[in-house]
Amino acid sequence: MSSTMTSTAIPASANPVAPAISLAPATSVFTSLLRADLTTQWRNRRASIMVILIPSIILISWKGLVEKFGGAFVLSNCITVGLNAIGLMGYTNSIARDRDKGIFQRLRITPAPRWTIMVSRLTVQLLMIVMVTIVLFIVGYQVDNIHMQASAYALTFCAAIVSGAVYLSLGQTIVGLIRNAETVNVTTRLVFFLFIMTGMFASFGALGQIVSDIAKWSPYGAVQRILADSLNPGAWKAQSNMALLATIGYILVFSIIGIRKFQWQSSK
Amino acid sequence: MAHKMSVFPKIMKSHSPPRPTRSPAFSRLMTAAPLFHPRYGFILASMSTTFDKPVLQVDRLDVRYGNFQAVKQVSFQVKPGEIFGLLGPNGAGKTSTLSAVEGLLTPTAGAITVAGYDSQREALYARASMGVQLQSTSFQPELTITEIIRLYAAIHGVTLSKDRINSILDDIKLQDAGAKRFGQLSGGQQQRVSLVIATIHNPPLLLMDEPTTGLDPQSRRKLWERIEAMRAKGHAILITTHSMEEAESICDRIAIIDHGQIITTDTPQAIIDDNRDNPEVIRASRKGRITLEDVFIGLTGDAIRS
């Protein structure tokens, strides 16, 4: 026989009429879902390439600003744009689309633990964060001559993962609060545009002091700050700690709202 | 009807009467999943000890959406080797009842047990004991049919080799569709794939939500044959349908549900006979003889539901 049961759990139900049903181990369910989600991501690689391409193009075009503002400032802004794109455009829209198509409902009626369904999706996005960060490090190094210490790259790498969680959790909040896929799509684009525009222009001081102060502690500003200071660990100070705290705060608040409000079924 | 046949014929072979309606190819498909695992020594076929017990037991089920009570005190059971039809007009409570059984919504009150497992307290085991064919099934559009089958098999703890998947696709006459995407298949082909996925782990209970909607007569007949073949193996099958022809043709028992309550439960013929003299049913009759549709309209009214 070429088919096999790969079950581990052999529960003895308290109910005497309950038959012994086997459940696949959660790790093997997770692995299968992850393989499927990675395949999906690979077949949607045009969207993934865009997510990498946009911050790379900005980084290349900002070569002239490196001397004026410093490599850490330029690179951190570009990584922030990439993380924004992953969380708000990639993750959020794929969740909204699959919910709309009933793919989650189909998975929910299987014995797959529900956490495996979402963690698998998040793992794929985590891989995207890793890829975008590495590509931007390479582009910055090769094209813009942004040279950092190895420890700075390592620290920034960790900071990028924490920072990516802000936008993934923000995306989760958006799909939690909005059940219509098209409205989610429009909202994420608007939020993406708003963050990029206010974050970038405010950091250049083009929007006045008040907006600049607000933007500094926004999800864009806080993330950009910890990335910039991670790239330049010597400059890490009290304000960097505050930015890190703000980032963790955003993750907690967005995650709680996003998980509590999330519905597996879209509104028709 | 209570067929004394096993869902797991490999173990119960010596007790199984002949099964004339089942094609050998389909038989291979159905007997593939339950196996003795060498490491864990587990025989899934121990489910066959619960033969005469209902596979699905719904007891005084209530489902409420805010102030609206969609399902009121609904009780029924489905036994092994039985096709049970849940009939009702739109908004009668069929989908809410089915969703509660599937675990997609939490009942306000009542109890549901699937193969002896409480659907709330032992949700994963209850879900592992059922296969579900949703009304509008959608799978990941980027995955091929082979990948989808492999994914859902793995979720149920069944590992399928490439040859085995090809053999499954052969059985459902989709041997060339392995590399296609689900959206590229016709409605009938999609239903066949959905049914394969719903039964890939050989579940004691199969739930089918309007399985023949949108199918041509040929595909519908073929699907009925497959459903009957599963009944012959001892699967308990719960079907919701709007087709009275379908209910009369394949269901052993039916329940008519309206305004969230079950009006009547019996065999299709018994329901017709019991209501033959009902004036509402006679008034609904169109062809001079009483059909299940006449009884249905007589009992639930002729007003169009939203």
Side-chain angles (χ1 to χ4, degrees):
Chain A
M1 293 286 268
S2 49
S3 61
T4 52
M5 299 295 290
T6 53
S7 326
T8 53
I10 309 165
S13 171
N15 186 339
V17 299
I21 285 281
S22 65
L23 291 181
T27 47
S28 103
V29 172
F30 174 72
T31 309
S32 303
L33 285 167
L34 183 59
R35 189 181 299 125
D37 289 338
L38 285 170
T39 307
T40 299
Q41 187 77 19
W42 173 247
R43 298 208 173 127
N44 283 330
R45 55 187 173 276
R46 269 189 222 165
S48 307
I49 289 168
M50 287 304 289
V51 162
I52 297 172
L53 213 56
I54 290 169
S56 299
I57 290 169
I58 295 173
L59 184 56
I60 293 165
S61 61
W62 279 11
K63 190 177 178 181
L65 297 178
V66 172
E67 212 168 291
K68 189 177 177 188
F69 292 100
F73 174 86
V74 171
L75 189 54
S76 63
N77 264 300
C78 294
I79 294 174
T80 308
V81 171
L83 297 177
N84 252 297
I86 292 168
L88 292 176
M89 312 294 267
Y91 174 73
T92 313
N93 287 332
S94 76
I95 295 284
R97 185 205 66 166
D98 287 358
R99 180 171 65 178
D100 200 49
K101 284 182 174 289
I103 290 165
F104 286 134
Q105 289 294 70
R106 188 66 191 78
L107 286 170
R108 280 179 72 210
I109 53 175
T110 68
R114 286 175 188 168
W115 66 264
T116 58
I117 300 169
M118 294 314 275
V119 172
S120 156
R121 301 289 177 121
L122 289 168
T123 306
V124 173
Q125 299 309 319
L126 189 70
L127 290 174
M128 281 300 296
I129 290 170
V130 169
M131 274 176 60
V132 166
T133 309
I134 290 173
V135 168
L136 290 174
F137 282 166
I138 294 168
V139 172
Y141 189 92
Q142 294 289 342
V143 181
D144 290 4
N145 293 318
I146 300 171
H147 298 167
M148 303 287 169
Q149 291 172 341
S151 60
Y153 281 123
L155 192 62
T156 309
F157 199 74
C158 298
I161 291 170
V162 174
S163 305
V166 175
Y167 302 115
L168 291 176
S169 58
L170 176 60
Q172 186 69 35
T173 298
I174 292 171
V175 284
L177 295 174
I178 302 168
R179 290 178 68 184
N180 181 287
E182 284 173 25
T183 314
V184 167
N185 200 328
V186 170
T187 306
T188 52
R189 281 163 203 271
L190 282 173
V191 173
F192 178 77
F193 187 72
L194 186 77
F195 275 2
I196 302 299
M197 286 297 116
T198 54
M200 278 186 185
F201 286 111
S203 62
F204 289 132
L207 299 176
Q209 193 57 44
I210 296 170
V211 177
S212 179
D213 286 345
I214 294 169
K216 201 182 283 180
W217 298 105
S218 71
Y220 184 97
V223 161
Q224 190 268 329
R225 177 74 188 235
I226 63 164
L227 287 170
D229 292 349
S230 301
L231 282 163
N232 188 9
W236 191 280
K237 43 186 183 268
Q239 281 232 323
S240 316
N241 288 331
M242 291 301 289
L244 183 61
L245 274 177
T247 301
I248 293 168
Y250 282 129
I251 295 170
L252 287 174
V253 171
F254 291 149
S255 301
I256 290 167
I257 297 171
I259 292 167
R260 287 180 72 92
K261 294 285 180 185
F262 184 71
Q263 301 282 323
W264 293 92
Q265 202 169 8
S266 67
S267 61
K268 295 287 180 187
Chain B
M1 63 184 287
H3 290 260
K4 295 288 178 188
M5 296 171 82
S6 174
V7 177
F8 312 101
K10 197 172 174 54
I11 304 297
M12 299 298 290
K13 203 171 181 179
S14 59
H15 304 293
S16 302
R19 283 158 267 167
T21 55
R22 192 179 61 205
S23 74
F26 195 70
S27 174
R28 281 201 306 279
L29 164 68
M30 298 307 300
T31 56
L35 282 178
F36 177 80
H37 192 284
R39 182 169 167 195
Y40 303 105
F42 175 59
I43 300 169
L44 194 65
S46 56
M47 265 189 259
S48 58
T49 55
T50 60
F51 260 20
D52 44 348
K53 306 279 184 192
V55 176
L56 173 64
Q57 176 99 42
V58 177
D59 192 22
R60 285 173 289 177
L61 178 72
D62 279 356
V63 175
R64 187 180 275 278
Y65 303 108
N67 291 327
F68 175 69
Q69 186 150 14
V71 178
K72 300 171 199 163
Q73 295 287 297
V74 162
S75 299
F76 62 90
Q77 50 180 243
V78 188
K79 291 179 181 164
E82 180 179 48
I83 301 177
F84 187 89
L86 198 55
L87 277 58
N90 290 335
K94 298 188 301 293
T95 301
S96 294
T97 303
L98 209 61
S99 296
V101 173
E102 290 161 355
L104 291 175
L105 60 83
T106 308
T108 317
I112 299 166
T113 52
V114 180
Y117 291 106
D118 186 286
S119 71
Q120 295 299 306
R121 284 184 289 111
E122 300 164 297
L124 286 188
Y125 292 105
R127 290 209 292 271
S129 306
M130 64 172 96
V132 183
Q133 187 174 25
L134 293 172
Q135 196 179 119
S136 55
T137 294
S138 190
F139 297 102
Q140 290 85 332
E142 293 85 1
L143 300 184
T144 64
I145 301 302
T146 300
E147 289 163 344
I148 291 169
I149 292 174
R150 187 171 287 139
L151 168 65
Y152 282 86
I155 288 174
H156 285 99
V158 179
T159 308
L160 298 174
S161 66
K162 199 176 175 186
D163 288 346
R164 181 77 196 113
I165 292 175
N166 287 340
S167 149
I168 288 170
L169 291 173
D170 267 356
D171 284 336
I172 57 170
K173 308 277 182 261
L174 283 174
Q175 49 272 39
D176 301 324
K180 284 187 179 171
R181 312 284 169 93
F182 190 74
Q184 293 175 300
L185 304 182
S186 69
Q189 290 172 330
Q190 288 185 351
Q191 285 290 23
R192 270 154 30 211
V193 171
S194 301
L195 189 58
V196 158
I197 288 167
T199 55
I200 201 98
H201 56 301
N202 218 9
L205 174 67
L206 183 61
L207 305 176
M208 307 181 89
D209 194 5
E210 298 181 26
T212 54
T213 301
L215 296 188
D216 60 33
Q218 288 85 350
S219 303
R220 197 172 62 215
R221 285 288 170 97
K222 286 286 176 199
L223 187 61
W224 288 357
E225 284 171 20
R226 289 182 188 279
I227 294 169
E228 284 168 343
M230 283 185 281
R231 167 176 62 190
K233 285 175 203 256
H235 289 272
I237 300 162
L238 173 62
I239 286 182
T240 69
T241 181
H242 281 298
S243 164
M244 298 301 132
E245 182 199 1
E246 184 167 284
E248 248 182 305
S249 296
I250 62 167
C251 292
D252 301 306
R253 285 192 306 135
I254 57 171
I256 296 178
I257 187 170
D258 196 17
H259 301 297
Q261 289 178 303
I262 287 185
I263 304 170
T264 181
T265 310
D266 213 326
T267 63
Q269 192 55 52
I271 287 176
I272 293 170
D273 292 342
D274 287 352
N275 291 280
R276 203 174 284 284
D277 301 325
N278 182 331
E280 295 294 327
V281 172
I282 293 167
R283 202 170 56 186
S285 172
R286 287 164 52 93
K287 293 177 182 169
R289 64 182 177 86
I290 303 294
T291 63
L292 186 60
E293 186 163 299
D294 300 331
V295 174
F296 179 85
I297 290 173
L299 295 179
T300 60
D302 57 5
I304 293 172
R305 309 292 175 88
S306 58

